[in-house]
Amino acid sequence: MTELADLTAVELVAGYRDRSMSPVEVLDAVLARVEALEPALHATYALDPDGARAAANQSEQRWRSGEPAGPLDGVPVTVKENIATAGVPVPQGTAATELLPATTDAPAAALLRSSGAVIFSKTTMPEYGMLSSGVSTFHPLTRNPWDLSRTPGGSSAGAGAAAAAGYGPLHLGTDIGGSIRLPAGWCGVIGLKPTHGRVPVGVPYPGRAIGPITRTAADAGLLLAAISGYDRRDHTSYPSPGDSFSGPLDLAGVRIGLLLDAGLGLPVAPEVASAVRTAANLVEKAGATVTEIGPIITREMLDGLDRFWRIRSAYDLQALPPERRAKVLPEIRDWADSAAGLTGLEVFHGFSQMGEMAVAVDQAFASYDFLISPVAPITAFAAELAYPTDDPLKPFEHIAFTVPYNMSGHPAVSVNCGYSREGLPIGLQLASPRFTDMRLLSLAATIEALVERRTWPGGCSG
């Protein structure tokens, strides 16, 4: 029998409605799971069992009276540490941050609360969210539930680990270059970076997005619908389209571009390429037309973005008092300090490459309904490493498949498509035209049904 902590949000809401289960008993099961696994995983920050139990009790009363607050009433949810929640400091994964409680909920967190969700914990992130790992000077090292010697990915490190370990069904992450999809891929779960602006963020920035990390596409759709909408704090946000997840996609006549070689960065491991190609073959047999395509972005684009981000981080670190700057992870300091010799022309050129990426991605969609690729060229690397290259001056060699969709604003999702010889999950990335997020999740649901799923890690049932 599936444990309460492993039930999907869709199943929980149905159970609350027919009174076969209660928000209080579900929360207790989730907290028990956290207590059992957290000493090894270190995925949570600011765990709040008392506040969550109070919220679960209130939810239970609403369900008993037949007046749920919204579509997520009573469902346990975690929120990534950099999404502000009132009363909780936002350290940004670094010991260099002054710990001041947030005064208000960020837009996405406020939407969660209004839907009745029970936020029981924040989740960890690495230093300033600029690493695809769980390495942080503030949080203990976050590890991957499938193999504790490996990273869960980042920067939504704790969210990815929590989803795979069964810390409840719904987790909110952020993504500016792959920070939702990379941990989702390496932890074997669903991770959606929505169309830019669909989910309001507290501090808008080119490429920055907030989205669901879940075990199923249906749950991702449920969460996405609840957190979509306009908020004046984000000038790039727009009103919710009011759409909803509609189940697996009929692939008859669907045109898919298959990208197996990014043309730059780390080479794709043979077992990753094999798993992605096998998934593409399954999709083709189900009715889609699959055509292999060439690289979308160039070395110049990725290096330009890297230079711009280095100077942005150098500016932020320079503003810190010396005693706080000294606490920043050395790899991040080395990366940012390398920008010191850049000229204004080089920085502007770097900024322009973000736009060049957007144009390149948009052109790639001219002939296809979806683009599919690996999420990352490799499986999860050693947990202790800040970067898979172990080189702070080569930090982005693994994001050539993910970062283009941040710059272009297109929705992109990770779905599991197999496992390595060592039993590590392999992520398949799916992307679609802007504003087709729910249709993209329908394709993810189709692939979920086609690809064999192994039992969840940590003794969790699946």
Side-chain angles (χ1 to χ4, degrees):
M1 181 178 178
T2 302
E3 297 180 22
L4 288 177
D6 293 309
L7 292 176
T8 68
V10 172
E11 290 169 332
L12 291 181
V13 171
Y16 299 157
R17 185 173 290 113
D18 67 16
R19 300 191 182 184
S20 62
M21 60 187 77
S22 78
V24 173
E25 66 179 352
V26 169
L27 176 66
D28 285 342
V30 169
L31 292 175
R33 175 69 58 78
V34 172
E35 183 178 9
L37 300 184
E38 189 59 3
L41 295 184
H42 302 296
T44 63
Y45 160 66
L47 183 67
D48 182 20
D50 292 339
R53 284 194 175 98
N57 273 297
Q58 292 168 2
S59 172
E60 187 164 313
Q61 294 304 314
R62 290 193 295 270
W63 279 109
R64 284 178 178 173
S65 63
E67 298 178 346
L72 301 182
D73 205 341
V75 179
V77 180
T78 72
V79 175
K80 188 176 176 182
E81 179 250 290
N82 61 341
I83 302 170
T85 51
V88 180
V90 184
Q92 302 182 78
T94 177
T97 300
E98 187 177 8
L99 295 180
L100 301 174
T103 56
T104 59
D105 285 339
L111 287 166
L112 279 177
R113 290 197 204 277
S114 67
S115 75
V118 176
I119 300 174
F120 68 92
S121 185
K122 309 296 286 288
T123 51
T124 60
M125 61 183 281
E127 203 83 0
Y128 287 114
M130 291 306 298
L131 305 174
S132 297
S133 68
V135 175
S136 164
T137 56
F138 181 82
H139 302 295
L141 180 62
T142 306
R143 297 180 180 273
N144 192 319
W146 292 91
D147 181 342
L148 295 178
S149 72
R150 304 303 180 100
T151 184
S155 65
S156 302
Y167 289 13
L170 302 181
H171 309 272
L172 210 55
T174 67
D175 191 319
I176 198 172
S179 289
I180 285 174
R181 289 155 289 157
L182 289 164
W186 286 331
C187 290
V189 297
I190 296 285
L192 173 70
K193 183 206 78 66
T195 297
H196 188 85
R198 172 160 183 150
V199 178
V201 301
V203 183
Y205 189 84
R208 181 173 289 156
I210 292 175
I213 299 180
T214 64
R215 285 184 172 184
T216 68
D219 272 6
L222 184 67
L223 179 51
L224 178 64
I227 58 174
S228 297
Y230 171 75
D231 189 290
R232 68 175 59 255
R233 290 172 286 180
D234 180 356
H235 65 274
T236 69
S237 64
Y238 56 87
S240 172
D243 53 355
S244 59
F245 178 75
S246 59
L249 184 68
D250 180 357
L251 294 179
V254 171
R255 303 164 302 162
I256 294 178
L258 170 61
L259 177 64
L260 284 172
D261 179 9
L264 66 156
L266 296 175
V268 178
E271 58 188 347
V272 172
S274 176
V276 170
R277 191 177 288 281
T278 297
N281 290 340
L282 291 172
V283 167
E284 193 165 35
K285 289 179 181 178
T289 299
V290 179
T291 305
E292 193 162 342
I293 64 173
I296 295 175
I297 67 168
T298 65
R299 183 84 248 178
E300 182 182 11
M301 293 176 190
L302 186 63
D303 286 349
L305 176 143
D306 184 5
R307 287 193 296 272
F308 181 73
W309 281 2
R310 289 182 199 219
I311 204 74
R312 180 196 67 178
S313 293
Y315 177 85
D316 291 340
L317 296 187
Q318 189 178 44
L320 296 176
E323 66 276 10
R324 285 170 54 193
R325 188 179 187 281
K327 296 179 180 180
V328 175
L329 189 75
E331 289 91 336
I332 293 292
R333 290 205 310 267
D334 291 346
W335 174 67
D337 288 348
S338 70
L342 292 176
T343 67
L345 290 175
E346 288 173 321
V347 174
F348 178 79
H349 177 265
F351 177 79
S352 74
Q353 294 310 294
M354 293 167 22
E356 292 298 319
M357 277 193 197
V359 171
V361 173
D362 210 53
Q363 290 175 342
F365 275 110
S367 302
Y368 301 102
D369 302 303
F370 300 96
L371 300 177
I372 67 175
S373 72
V375 172
I378 58 174
T379 54
F381 55 94
E384 292 78 12
L385 295 181
Y387 309 97
T389 58
D390 198 23
D391 183 349
L393 300 186
K394 294 181 178 179
F396 299 145
E397 297 303 295
H398 60 295
I399 67 170
F401 289 111
T402 52
V403 72
Y405 302 113
N406 291 87
M407 298 304 103
S408 69
H410 291 78
V413 65
S414 172
V415 59
N416 180 255
C417 69
Y419 303 85
S420 71
R421 292 184 300 276
E422 297 170 299
L424 296 171
I426 295 172
L428 175 70
Q429 180 175 239
L430 321 172
S432 64
R434 297 179 191 89
F435 316 116
T436 60
D437 305 62
M438 291 298 182
R439 189 165 190 255
L440 181 63
L441 287 174
S442 288
L443 176 59
T446 299
I447 293 172
E448 278 181 323
L450 294 174
V451 175
E452 184 180 352
R453 155 67 63 187
R454 295 185 182 177
T455 301
W456 291 105
C460 310
S461 58

